[in-house]
Every structure is written in structure tokens, then in C-alpha cells.
Amino acid sequence: MSVSYTIDVTRLHAAIRLVMRGFGSEEAEVEAITANLIEANLTGHDSHGIGMLPRYVEAYQQRGLVPNQHVRTVLDAGSMLRLDGGAGFGQVIGYEAMQLGIARALQHGSCIVALGNSHHLGRIGAWAELATKSGLVSLHFVNVMARSIVAPYGGADARFGTNPFAAGIPVTGRMPVILDFATSMMAQGKTRVAFNKGELVPPDCLLDDHGRPTREPRFGVNPPFGALLAFGAHKGYGLALLCELLGGALAAGMTQHSEDVAQRRILNGMLTVLIDPAALADRAAFEHETLAFIDWVKASPAREGFDSVRIAGEPEREMLAHRTAHGVPVDATTWSEILDAAGRLGVDRAEVSAAADVS
Ligand SMILES: NC(=O)c1ccc[n+]([C@@H]2O[C@H](COP(=O)([O-])OP(=O)(O)OC[C@H]3O[C@@H](n4cnc5c(N)ncnc54)[C@H](O)[C@@H]3O)[C@@H](O)[C@H]2O)c1
């Protein structure tokens, strides 16, 4: 059994702020990234939480990630925006891009935002949540410019990233529907989490370096690398392809076709479609039908092995409530990697551990 710490949320914020200041980020950026990463842990997506920091430090030290960037408008066509993230922290660039898109969608009824050259945008559902808070439907197609880690359907090696898709639907008087997933069987960070915990990955998720099925997470973490499989066979692979063509070719003007595995930066391209349901449809009818369908679906009796039917977004909110109350579990390997990364930024490791109350 690997050692794991449970860190109080307030203390974790204090500790991660110390690490983030090592990048030389402005205080608003420190706060935005700290909150976004910890929220990923709180919602149960440790793959996109504070465990990303070592990778961010490597990217920063290779100058592939640039602190203190703000989104730049390349094209303003009213209800279509083309934006450039300047390789800045995706937590800031993504937020600014969404704010611009949301304002336009509220003005015009819809907006298409093409965002390129943003460093890692983290949990894409966070951007869908932002849109639903303004009453908007949102769709997000995302590509990943980094070492290829997912095999095409029928292929034996990796050719693209975990290309996430997300969507948000506001539900008046209820929490929104937030569908948000990698198009691979599992997120890449989950192989790292399993590796650090000394666990196997589930079957049918990963290929080894010869294209054979394996449950050993090291094929996702250390060379010689294997490849993740896309979810849903040819269907998930098809969605991954769309994410590359829409988030990459269309939105970012960049797709993944490089053999360069030395680059540690993770650039995301994201095509976002924002729709104001009140501008497109009869709002009352939309809300009525949405609620009626959700209630109908949730009324299905739970089958063996399940406790209830959930709607996308609910598992994250349940985990958020639990971890906010009881603390965030962080395995010892991940914590020591974060401390090493802090050290590389010139941040005092002992201060970070003391802030988190981890000894
Ligand atoms: N920025 C990037 O480059 C990048 C790349 C890949 C993934 N990601 C992020 O990684 C995160 C994790 O992705 P993942 O593929 O591991 O997610 P996942 O497999 O845990 O799936 C999450 C989705 O499934 C829904 N869900 C889960 N259990 C459910 C249930 N029992 N009933 C109904 N719905 C349920 C969740 O609400 C959520 O919408 C996501 O936030 C994604 O955006 C980011």
C-alpha cells in the first residue's frame, strides 16, 4: 500500500500558492491556477489537479510555458472570435477566452471561440461550468499538442493526445449538466496517478510499446512508451479525430504530427460553441423539456452494482462536497514530485510541506 496524505483544503491552497509564486506569476495568476488545480482534485480529477505542477515546471524551464500572459484577439468577427494564448497558463487564458465568448454570446445569441496556443487548459468542464453560470449552453472540442499518447482505432502506436470533449447545459433551479471527458479510455494523468500509487490500470485501456494490451501504467509514464486506447472503439476514436480537426486544425491552426518527444509543454487548441437557449428556442419549453427528461432518466431503477442513475456533472459535485469537508488525498509520490518541482523553482520545500501540514 502506498502512503497517502489527506490535506485540508485551506492548507493545500496555502501550499500551492507558495509553489505557484516560484513561476514569478502575478498574484491574480497565482490565485487562478491554485484554485483551478485544487478544484480538479476536489471534483475527483486528480489527473488534472496539483499533480500537473511538476510537468508545468518542466514546460516552464524549457520556455514552453510563459507566465503572465493574457489572451490576445487575432480576429473579431462579432459572434466569432479567434484568440491566441501566447503559451500562457491555460487556467488564465481559458478563463479570459470564456469571458470574451460569453459576453458575445449574450449579445448575439451565440458565439464561436477559436482558441489556439494556450498552455494546458486543465479540466475542460471548468469552462463549461463558467458558461452555464451565464445561462449558456457550451460545447468544447479540444486537441493536445504534446507527446502523442493515444493510438488510432486499429493502430499499434500513439498518434494524438487524449483530446477532451466537454459540454455544459444550464438547468434552471438545478445544477447544470456537465459532460467532460478525455476521448481516451482514461486520462493520461490517471496512468501517472496509478503508477505513483503502485496500482494497475483497468483492462482494455493501454497498449505496451509493441501494441499489445497491458495493465502496467509505466507504459504511459516512462519510456519505452505504449499508447492509450480511445474509448468506445471506432466511435470514441472518431470523436478524438473531430477534436483534433476542430480544436486543432480549425481553432488553433496546429495539429499533432510531430515525433519530438522531448517537449514538455502541453498546448491545447479549443473550439468552443456558445449558445444562448433563450435566443434560439422558447426558453420555457427548453427548460420544461430538459427537466422532464432528466427526471425521467433518473427515475430508472438502479441495476445491480449501482446505487442510482446519475446525470453528468453529479459525480464531480458529490466528490467536491466530500473532499471539501474531509480534505484532498495526495499520494506520497505525487507530493514528493511537487516538492521537487517547487525546489527547481527555488521555492523552499520545507515551507511548502509546513503550509500543507504534511511531514
Ligand atoms: N486539458 C487537456 O489537455 C485534457 C486532456 C484530457 C482530459 N482532460 C480532462 O481530464 C478530466 C478527466 O477526464 P476523464 O476522461 O478521466 O473523465 P471521466 O472518465 O471521469 O468522465 C467524466 C465524465 O463522466 C461523467 N460521469 C462519471 N461517472 C458517471 C456516472 N456514474 N453517471 C453519469 N455520468 C458520469 C462525469 O460527470 C463527467 O462528465 C476531464 O476534466 C477532462 O477535461 C483534459
Side-chain angles (χ1 to χ4, degrees):
M1 262 299 270
S2 62
V3 180
S4 182
Y5 309 112
T6 301
I7 307 178
D8 167 77
V9 180
T10 309
R11 283 190 163 277
L12 191 57
H13 271 88
I16 299 304
R17 272 189 210 110
L18 289 177
V19 182
M20 281 310 309
R21 288 189 189 118
F23 287 96
S25 287
E26 294 154 359
E27 206 49 29
E29 181 162 286
V30 166
E31 208 49 52
I33 298 160
T34 301
N36 177 283
L37 292 177
I38 293 177
E39 190 194 49
N41 289 100
L42 287 172
T43 52
H45 293 293
D46 295 330
S47 55
H48 285 68
I50 58 171
M52 288 302 299
L53 280 169
R55 178 73 182 256
Y56 289 0
V57 171
E58 289 171 324
Y60 167 67
Q61 292 187 326
Q62 288 184 339
R63 299 181 196 282
L65 163 60
V66 188
N68 301 318
Q69 295 298 299
H70 295 283
V71 87
R72 186 171 62 84
T73 302
V74 179
L75 170 89
D76 183 344
S79 61
M80 290 198 294
L81 296 172
R82 188 171 186 86
L83 308 172
D84 183 283
F89 275 106
Q91 287 79 1
V92 170
I93 299 299
Y95 180 82
E96 292 179 351
M98 288 303 297
Q99 291 305 113
L100 291 173
I102 287 168
R104 291 300 171 90
L106 291 173
Q107 186 184 351
H108 299 288
S110 67
C111 181
I112 292 173
V113 184
L115 173 63
N117 203 23
S118 170
H119 199 261
H120 191 239
L121 287 160
R123 192 174 70 90
I124 306 304
W127 312 125
E129 283 163 9
L130 214 52
T132 60
K133 279 185 186 141
S134 294
L136 299 174
V137 169
S138 74
L139 302 173
H140 308 263
F141 299 88
V142 180
N143 88 324
V144 187
M145 299 288 295
R147 177 175 66 79
S148 292
I149 52 179
V150 181
Y153 182 65
D157 71 357
R159 295 285 151 162
F160 46 83
T162 53
N163 293 6
F165 169 80
I169 304 200
V171 185
T172 303
R174 305 245 188 115
M175 298 307 281
V177 176
I178 303 290
L179 181 62
D180 170 31
F181 53 69
T183 48
S184 47
M185 280 293 288
M186 60 192 297
Q188 154 74 358
K190 287 184 180 162
T191 58
R192 186 194 69 232
V193 173
F195 182 73
N196 287 351
K197 288 183 176 171
E199 294 172 356
L200 294 175
V201 298
D204 304 321
C205 287
L206 192 61
L207 301 177
D208 69 13
D209 56 326
H210 290 93
R212 296 171 302 215
T214 180
R215 295 190 62 195
E216 285 294 340
R218 67 152 228 73
F219 286 103
V221 181
N222 290 322
F225 293 111
L228 291 166
L229 290 170
F231 83 94
H234 55 288
K235 303 180 190 185
Y237 159 57
L239 183 54
L241 201 77
L242 272 193
C243 287
E244 191 72 33
L245 298 180
L246 296 178
L250 184 61
M254 270 194 275
T255 57
Q256 175 68 9
H257 45 77
S258 160
E259 304 262 328
D260 181 1
V261 294
Q263 294 258 15
R264 300 301 287 157
R265 56 105 178 94
I266 310 166
L267 291 179
N268 280 144
M270 177 162 76
L271 186 82
T272 299
V273 179
L274 295 162
I275 303 167
D276 181 355
L280 185 66
D282 175 342
R283 174 142 218 155
F286 168 69
E287 287 173 357
H288 177 267
E289 287 304 312
T290 301
L291 283 174
F293 183 68
I294 288 175
D295 288 345
W296 163 253
V297 166
K298 283 186 71 75
S300 177
R303 71 178 161 96
E304 203 182 320
F306 291 81
D307 60 352
S308 67
V309 169
R310 289 178 172 77
I311 299 295
E314 287 182 354
E316 283 74 16
R317 289 191 288 271
E318 287 168 15
M319 188 63 91
L320 179 72
H322 177 80
R323 289 189 170 180
T324 302
H326 301 287
V328 175
V330 182
D331 68 84
T333 308
T334 299
W335 187 249
S336 105
E337 285 174 359
I338 291 171
L339 294 183
D340 288 348
R344 290 201 299 280
L345 293 175
V347 175
D348 186 340
R349 299 164 52 110
E351 266 185 49
V352 176
S353 274
D357 197 20
V358 170
S359 50

